C-alpha cells in the first residue's frame, strides 16, 4: 500500500502545485508540502483496506507545520482529479481562520510574556520622552543664559 500511496501522492502533488516536495512520514504516510502556498497535505492509511486519511494544514513561518485543520477519508482507488478536488476543499478549510500570530489567541504563558513586553516597551517610551524633555529644557536654559550674559 505504501508504494501505491506514494504514487498517488506524486500524481496529486503535480496536479495541485507546480512547486512541491513529497516525502514519507515515519508512520508510513506521505506528505506533500507546497512551500510557496504555505500549505501541506498528508496521505496516510486509514482503517479500511482501500481507504486513506487525507489531512491538510498550514506551514508556519520558519517552515514548521501546524497541526491539521481539516481531514477526510477517501478511497485510494479514487481518480486523481477527484482526490485533488477533495484536497482543494480541505486546503480551503485549512486556510480559513486566523493566519497570523497577532490574530491567534496566545497561550497563557505567552500572554504573560506579551504583557511584560508591552510594559517594558511602554517604560522605554516613557524614558525616551523624559530624555527629550530634559534636552529641550537644557537647550532653552542655555539660550536664556547666553542671552542674559553680557558680551
Amino acid at each position: 500500500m505504501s508504494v501505491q500511496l506514494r504514487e498517488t501522492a506524486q500524481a496529486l502533488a503535480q496536479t495541485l502545485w507546480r512547486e512541491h516536495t513529497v516525502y514519507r512520514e515515519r508512520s508510513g504516510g506521505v506528505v506533500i508540502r507546497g512551500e510557496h502556498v504555505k500549505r501541506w497535505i498528508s496521505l496516510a492509511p486509514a482503517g479500511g483496506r482501500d481507504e486513506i486519511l487525507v489531512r491538510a494544514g498550514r506551514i508556519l513561518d520558519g517552515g514548521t507545520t501546524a497541526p491539521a485543520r481539516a481531514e477526510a477519508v477517501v478511497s485510494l482507488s479514487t481518480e486523481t482529479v477527484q482526490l485533488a478536488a477533495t484536497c482543494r476543499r480541505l486546503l480551503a478549510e485549512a486556510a480559513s481562520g486566523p493566519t497570523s500570530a497577532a490574530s491567534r489567541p496566545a497561550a497563557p504563558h505567552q500572554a504573560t510574556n506579551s504583557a511584560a513586553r508591552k510594559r517594558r516597551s511602554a517604560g522605554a517610551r516613557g524614558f525616551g520622552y523624559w530624555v527629550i524633555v530634559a534636552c529641550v529644557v537644557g537647550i532653552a536654559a542655555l539660550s536664556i543664559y547666553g542671552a542674559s550674559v553680557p558680551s
Side-chain angles (χ1 to χ4, degrees):
M1 178 166 193
S2 64
V3 172
Q4 188 179 7
L5 194 60
R6 182 151 179 98
E7 290 172 356
T8 301
Q10 290 285 355
L12 179 62
Q14 291 174 353
T15 303
L16 291 174
W17 300 312
R18 283 181 281 151
E19 300 173 32
H20 58 270
T21 305
V22 178
Y23 62 91
R24 187 177 161 271
E25 289 181 302
R26 281 181 257 158
S27 63
V30 180
V31 176
I32 306 167
R33 287 176 65 107
E35 297 288 339
H36 63 293
V37 292
K38 295 193 173 220
R39 300 285 180 265
W40 61 267
I41 297 172
S42 169
L43 307 176
R49 177 174 169 85
D50 186 37
E51 293 179 335
I52 56 173
L53 176 63
V54 181
R55 300 177 337 152
R58 295 179 297 133
I59 299 174
L60 304 175
D61 294 336
T64 60
T65 56
R69 295 180 60 94
E71 60 183 42
V73 176
V74 180
S75 173
L76 187 56
S77 60
T78 302
E79 291 184 27
T80 304
V81 175
Q82 293 171 332
L83 185 57
T86 301
C87 288
R88 285 187 182 104
R89 179 181 55 83
L90 294 175
L91 289 166
E93 288 177 24
S96 66
T99 57
S100 68
S103 61
R104 285 194 306 262
H109 71 279
Q110 289 175 331
T112 305
N113 290 341
S114 176
R117 248 183 271 120
K118 287 178 184 173
R119 281 193 305 271
R120 277 194 303 266
S121 66
R125 282 192 303 261
F127 177 74
Y129 170 79
W130 287 111
V131 168
I132 291 170
V133 168
C135 289
V136 169
V137 168
I139 291 171
L142 283 175
S143 297
I144 293 171
Y145 177 75
S148 67
V149 174
S151 333

